[in-house]
Every structure is written in C-alpha cells, then in structure tokens.
Amino acid sequence: MSGKLWGGRFTKSAEEWVDEFGASISFDQELVLEDIQGSLAHVAMLQKTGILTQEEAGQITDGLKTLQKRAEHDELSFKVEMEDIHLNLESMLIAEIGPVGGKLHTGRSRNDQVATDLHLYMRTQAKEVITLISGLQKAIVQKAEENVETLIPGYTHLQRAQPISFAHHLMAYFWMLERDKQRFQESLKRINISPLGAGALAGTTFPIDRHYSAELLGFEGIYENSLDAVSDRDFALEFLSNSATMMMHLSRFSEEIILWSSQEFQFIELDDAFSTGSSIMPQKKNPDMAELIRGKTGRVYGNLTGLLTVLKGLPLAYNKDMQEDKEGVFDTVKTVLGSLKIFTGMISTLKVKKEVMEKATKNDFSNATELADYLASKGMPFREAHEVVGKLVLFCVQKGCYLADLPLNQFKQASSLFEEDIYEALNPYQAVKRRNSAGGTGFEQVRSALEKASKILI
Ligand code: ARG
C-alpha cells in the first residue's frame, strides 16, 4: 500500500511533483467547513438507515465536530500528499478516532462529496451577493433622493442629447442591479439541490436515504439522476454568468464615474478614500477603485469562459478536469463581493457638483428636441418640425449662440407657430419636468420610481 487512501490499486507511490500537480488542497481547503457539514449529514443518514450503528455514527460525529472546531479556529494543517480537502479530512478523522473513521465514506464517493460541498458553498455565497447588491441599491436610492431636481445632460453616442434628472440616471443602475439580484435569487433553486448519495456515478448498493441527508443540509430536493449529479457544474456556470452580467453593469457605471470625475466633465468628486494620488504628478486624484472594478470585470468573464471551456468536451461522468472548476469560482466570489462593497462606499461618499452639471445642460443644443416637440404639439408634422429646428440650430452654430439667445422674431421667421412661451419650453428644467411619460425623467416620474424602489428594498 502506498499510504494513500486509494493506495490499494497502486503499487508505486507517485513522484512528489505529480502529487503537487494533481493536488487541489492548496485551493479547495476553502471548502473545509462545507465538507465537514456534508459529512455530518451523511453520517447521520448512515445511522438512521442502520448502515452504521449508533455507536459508530456517534464516534464519527464527535470526531467531525472536533475537526470542525479546529477548522473554525484555523488550526488544521493540510498535506499535499493527501491531495484534496476530502482525503485530508478523512485521514485526520481516522487519526483522531481510529479505524472506525474509515466507515464515514460508506455509500458515497469524492465525486458526490465535492459536488455537495460546492453546492453548499455556492448557496452561502449567492445569498451574500444578494445582500450586498441590496446594500448598493440602497446607496443608489439615497444619492438619487438627494438629486431628483439636479439636472445633467443625457447622452447618446457620448454626445449631449437631452437634459435629464441626475436621479433618473442613477436609478437606471438601480433597476439593472435589481434584475441582477433576481437572477441570483432565481438561481438558488438550482443551487439548492443535493448531489449527495449519487456515489461515484451510479448510486450505491447501500440502502441510503438521499432525501434525509438533503433535508439535513437544507437542500430543497435531490438530483434525479446520479450521473447528472456528479457530472454537471451548470449551477456554478450560472453563478459565473450572473456575476459576469452584474460586473458588466458595475463596469459601465465605473466608466461613467471615471468620466464624470475627469477634469473635462467635473460633474462629481470622489471621496479621498476611494481615489489615490500620483507618485509624480501632485495635482492628480485618480479614480482607482472605479478603474479596478472595470478592470476586474475581465477576470470574471475569463472565469466564466474558463469553466465553459473545461466542461465542453467532457464525457460523463466525473473527469479530473472538473477539479479546475473551483479556483475560478472562488476568484469570482472574492471579486464580486469586493467590488460590491467598494462600489457601495464609493457611491455613498461621492460629491455631486450640481452647478457644473446644470451649467452643462444650458450651454448646448440639448433643448433642440423641445423646440421640435413644441411645433409638433401645435399641429406641425414632427418631421417638418425637425427640419425647421435643424435650420435654427445651424443658424445658431454659424452665429455662435444657443437657441435661447435668439430673439422671438427670429423664431417667428422660421415658423409662425412660435410664441413667447417658447423660452419657457427651452429651459432645461422645464424640459425635464415635462417628460412625464411612464418611466421618463420627469420629476414626478422619478419620485414615484424612487418610492417603488424603496418598497422593493424593504
Ligand atoms: N479534488 C477533486 C475535485 O476537486 C475531488 C473529486 C475527486 N474524485 C476523483 N475521482 N478523483 O474534483
């Protein structure tokens, strides 16, 4: 025997570097508590079904609890020769309570064990992500509530298009995050099922009770097919894909924060805690955290692509390739949780430079649509109105002025429909206020959206 727990099948002990290459303990120790949790449920099931005696199960349970306490205090030291978290813990258990510890693995395999661990881990982490998304949404709502009547240019093609409420702009991200949160919530029903008891691939000859261990672990059901239970990682892919979409949203928001805090825009100022200076240019205040979140989005995409690629060619059932599922998942969890925490702090502390934003809505042609709407509301076909206003804009550009600077007779020359109230229509505040269609930027709409949002967050 080579000293390994599966050593019966091998005559020679593997070279050290092969051990190291094949081992996953350096990263799957992240699953130590989940592995013990799964084993505790498994041994309780073995006792209930009479596969182990009460005494055997009692000894194993006590041993596992001892290991659990040590794990919680970070007192376990793992060995590369023991390959992974499952074999490390099993050998520690045997060292702790003697050969009876070897009975724990009755009716299960590392294949259903690792899948169970990962389901338990993903369940905890998905819930944590959901909580942190809610926290960020709260910060957005708060900032938005302070800025309902703050005007900012709205853009298309990064060209000024129409003035909008800054709160409306912020709230666009609230709703994106709301859908992100829902995706994580909905994924929980696929994460929360038990692969335990699927065995290596085919089930087991022991009279196990999979429903019982599933129930002990808080799973809502069991995988119906033992091959499926140990072969798929679509629940992890779903988490990665939901994370990728959410990071894409955070990345776009980051990009806007970076633009808005630039010298060119000067719409916001980031708190010192979320920006850094330059080692050479004393004037600099860099939006590092926003840039990093934008940058880290790339690694989450990479982790998703990585796991999709690992899985695409695998015949059923378990293949060692699947050991590659974990690092990308752990890295994504760390990245997503970190990004959400940082983003929440960055949003709640940023200073809005209302005057600069509002000034930007005045010195441009983003009120041109108002003119066209004005004519259209007086009966002129919109296409014609568009043409009339286009000519007025050209006239202003050539003269070096804005629409509101033109005298009334100039407007009247372009169309007899123009009256004195045209100046009111050109005012960006009025332009925003009047866009009162459902989901639009009108202040009334924004206020009712904020109310709806606050109810969602309770
Ligand atoms: N360390 C392995 C993994 O992460 C556990 C499952 C190993 N199963 C096996 N038959 N080699 O996938």
Side-chain angles (χ1 to χ4, degrees), residues 6 22-25 27-28 83-86 109-111 114 200 233 318-326:
W6 41 253
S24 52
I25 188 61
F27 51 88
D28 67 12
E83 197 176 321
D84 58 23
I85 188 62
H86 324 293
S109 142
R110 274 189 296 158
N111 297 349
V114 69
R233 293 291 184 263
Y318 179 86
N319 299 268
K320 184 75 166 177
D321 314 45
M322 293 168 74
Q323 183 165 288
E324 289 293 305
D325 59 358
K326 281 172 277 300

Side-chain angles (χ1 to χ4, degrees), residues 139-402:
I140 291 174
V141 166
Q142 211 166 28
K143 215 23 85 176
E145 273 166 351
E146 297 160 14
N147 287 285
V148 173
E149 299 203 2
T150 306
L151 304 186
I152 186 175
Y155 296 80
T156 60
H157 313 268
L158 199 57
Q159 305 286 327
R160 287 184 192 172
Q162 291 169 354
I164 54 173
S165 147
F166 184 49
H168 193 54
H169 194 126
L170 290 174
M171 286 302 285
Y173 288 105
F174 173 95
W175 296 109
M176 293 178 209
L177 287 164
E178 181 58 25
R179 290 191 297 279
D180 290 331
K181 192 174 71 184
Q182 284 168 7
R183 272 186 282 270
F184 281 108
Q185 271 159 345
E186 284 153 17
S187 76
L188 276 172
K189 65 170 180 272
R190 283 174 291 278
I191 292 175
N192 207 18
I193 46 173
S194 176
L196 192 58
L201 73 162
T204 171
T205 54
F206 290 98
I208 59 169
D209 181 348
R210 290 188 60 206
H211 290 283
Y212 184 65
S213 52
E215 194 189 312
L216 291 178
L217 291 170
F219 286 125
E220 272 161 30
I222 62 168
Y223 273 87
E224 294 296 336
N225 180 299
S226 61
L227 285 166
D228 176 34
V230 291
S231 307
D232 209 355
R233 293 291 184 263
D234 57 354
F235 66 102
L237 281 174
E238 199 175 342
F239 180 87
L240 295 176
S241 153
N242 292 342
S243 300
T245 306
M246 194 209 64
M247 288 301 292
M248 177 275 292
H249 289 146
L250 293 190
S251 184
R252 291 183 75 173
F253 204 167
S254 296
E255 171 66 13
E256 299 211 284
I257 286 172
I258 294 161
L259 283 174
W260 291 340
S261 57
S262 70
Q263 197 71 33
E264 283 67 20
F265 281 75
Q266 298 187 47
F267 285 176
I268 59 166
E269 189 177 341
L270 288 176
D271 192 81
D272 285 355
F274 295 92
S275 28
T276 52
S278 154
S279 55
I280 169 165
M281 297 163 282
Q283 84 283 10
K284 290 265 269 191
K285 192 169 170 185
N286 298 327
D288 284 30
M289 295 301 118
E291 292 171 86
L292 259 182
I293 291 167
R294 187 178 58 183
K296 282 178 187 290
T297 301
R299 66 197 292 154
V300 175
Y301 291 3
N303 292 334
L304 170 62
T305 312
L307 185 55
L308 280 167
T309 313
V310 163
L311 294 171
K312 73 179 274 293
L314 300 185
L316 303 186
Y318 179 86
N319 299 268
K320 184 75 166 177
D321 314 45
M322 293 168 74
Q323 183 165 288
E324 289 293 305
D325 59 358
K326 281 172 277 300
E327 280 167 294
V329 166
F330 297 155
D331 181 70
T332 300
V333 165
K334 192 171 147 215
T335 305
V336 164
L337 297 181
S339 301
L340 282 166
K341 280 181 203 156
I342 293 285
F343 216 101
T344 306
M346 191 165 66
I347 292 296
S348 34
T349 56
L350 67 77
K351 232 178 44 219
V352 180
K353 296 184 176 167
K354 298 189 185 192
E355 328 70 53
V356 184
M357 282 185 182
E358 297 207 15
K359 204 168 147 216
T361 64
K362 293 203 173 98
N363 299 335
D364 64 13
F365 290 98
S366 62
N367 51 3
T369 317
E370 304 318 304
L371 272 195
D373 283 353
Y374 178 95
L375 292 174
S377 71
K378 292 198 168 188
M380 187 183 281
F382 187 81
R383 270 298 139 237
E384 225 172 279
H386 187 285
E387 174 80 15
V388 170
V389 177
K391 282 189 179 137
L392 280 170
V393 169
L394 181 63
F395 179 78
C396 288
V397 170
Q398 285 163 349
K399 260 193 81 178
C401 67
Y402 295 111

